[in-house]
Amino acid sequence: MKTRYSFGGDEHIFVEIDEEMSLEAFFKSLSMSKAVREATIAGVTEICPANASFQVRFDPDVIAPEALLTRLKSFEAVAETAEKTIDTRIIEVPVFYNDPWTHETLMRFRERHQDPDATDLEYAARINDYPSVETFIEAHSGAPWFVSMVGFVAGLPFTYQLVERSRQIEVPKYLRPRTDTPRLTVGYGGCFGCIYSVRGAGGYQMFGITPMPIYDPKAEQSYLKDLFLFRPGDIIRFKPIDREAYDAAIADVEAGRYEPKIASVHFSLDAFNADPEGFNAKLLEALDG
């Protein structure tokens, strides 16, 4: 991987680890951004991590741009040899696939879609060579997902499925973005999944909806004291549910008694690469144990 450094105006340096997403690039970016944070460099005011990159904001009156660039490059060699491990959490997210709300929305925007005659799930299944929507949903929910970034809108997680690259689902975004997406839609664009934390515009394919809030500015849910549920490095298991289970979960949310299943886990990239299916099984056991 060839790291690229570039200036963004007078107050930012953008550090791009790789042009494409990979867990290797994520861990290198994580290690470097952590090193920058721990170094407490005078003049650095903000560090913003992304999928395979990060951006540093600084005060040029405190530290010269070239001086900061030299400091940032000094962290790269250490990041190359750092252990690619993280103590994190696995979180179960129930999903009502093929739900009526995202279906109604996607039907309003078919003229913006690659295949106006198919639903988003049907299109995604076909171009990924799955024989049916049901088998596609099994693949989508059958392996856990790694949260590589949180942002764009408040609390929205970008997720990357923990499978071999040959098994990665790839689905393009809409030809033109929608002006509406239901809150808590489970979407997909390129190689990334996401959960729309709020209602609004969007261009990702819509596969379903979760009843579980992931962003709570009113602090009404006990498990959302920090406002946002997800942070980079979290792992998600999508659990398919039916309408009855969805309605029951919504009732619990409205009563303030909903509690997601969350377990502490240790993630090792080397162990995952050595045996993806076996490692994933151990991750999922942490939720079921």
Side-chain angles (χ1 to χ4, degrees), residues 169-236:
I169 296 169
E170 293 189 26
V171 190
K173 294 186 287 185
Y174 274 46
L175 297 174
R176 289 186 292 129
R178 301 176 302 274
T179 57
D180 189 24
T181 307
R183 172 176 170 265
L184 298 178
T185 290
V186 175
Y188 205 93
C191 69
F192 287 110
C194 80
I195 304 172
Y196 285 79
S197 54
V198 297
R199 182 179 182 180
Y204 278 25
Q205 309 284 336
M206 296 182 289
F207 293 165
I209 199 165
T210 177
M212 187 177 85
I214 62 172
Y215 168 55
D216 184 17
K218 296 181 180 180
E220 295 175 340
Q221 301 300 318
S222 61
Y223 66 93
L224 288 172
K225 292 185 176 65
D226 296 327
L227 302 185
F228 313 120
L229 176 60
F230 295 109
R231 52 182 180 251
D234 279 340
I235 297 169
I236 294 174

Side-chain angles (χ1 to χ4, degrees), residues 1 17-32 50-53 79-80 82-86 88 143-149 158-165 168 191-192 232-236 267-276 279-280 283:
M1 291 181 286
I17 306 301
D18 204 339
E19 291 184 348
E20 65 179 23
M21 172 59 192
S22 68
L23 291 173
E24 287 78 8
F26 169 84
F27 271 97
K28 182 176 177 180
S29 175
L30 180 70
S31 179
M32 287 188 68
N51 296 307
S53 62
E80 292 280 5
E83 286 191 8
K84 299 177 178 63
T85 63
I86 187 172
T88 186
W145 296 72
F146 197 89
V147 177
S148 58
M149 172 182 166
F158 287 85
T159 63
Y160 183 80
Q161 195 169 32
L162 292 173
V163 293
E164 302 93 326
R165 186 168 290 270
Q168 286 288 337
C191 69
F192 287 110
D234 279 340
I235 297 169
I236 294 174
F267 183 86
S268 165
L269 181 57
D270 290 340
F272 168 77
N273 286 335
D275 181 15
F279 191 83
N280 283 346
L283 289 175

Side-chain angles (χ1 to χ4, degrees), residues 13-65:
I13 295 179
F14 179 62
V15 184
E16 184 180 41
I17 306 301
D18 204 339
E19 291 184 348
E20 65 179 23
M21 172 59 192
S22 68
L23 291 173
E24 287 78 8
F26 169 84
F27 271 97
K28 182 176 177 180
S29 175
L30 180 70
S31 179
M32 287 188 68
S33 59
K34 180 181 178 183
V36 176
R37 185 174 294 107
E38 292 177 347
T40 60
I41 302 169
V44 169
T45 58
E46 189 175 3
I47 304 167
C48 182
N51 296 307
S53 62
F54 65 96
Q55 184 167 270
V56 178
R57 185 180 183 184
F58 63 97
D59 183 345
D61 291 329
V62 177
I63 184 169

Side-chain angles (χ1 to χ4, degrees), residues 85-107:
T85 63
I86 187 172
D87 290 315
T88 186
R89 308 174 297 171
I90 184 166
I91 302 170
E92 184 173 273
V93 177
V95 182
F96 183 13
Y97 288 92
N98 219 359
D99 66 280
W101 304 283
T102 58
H103 184 271
E104 184 277 331
T105 303
L106 67 87
M107 293 304 294

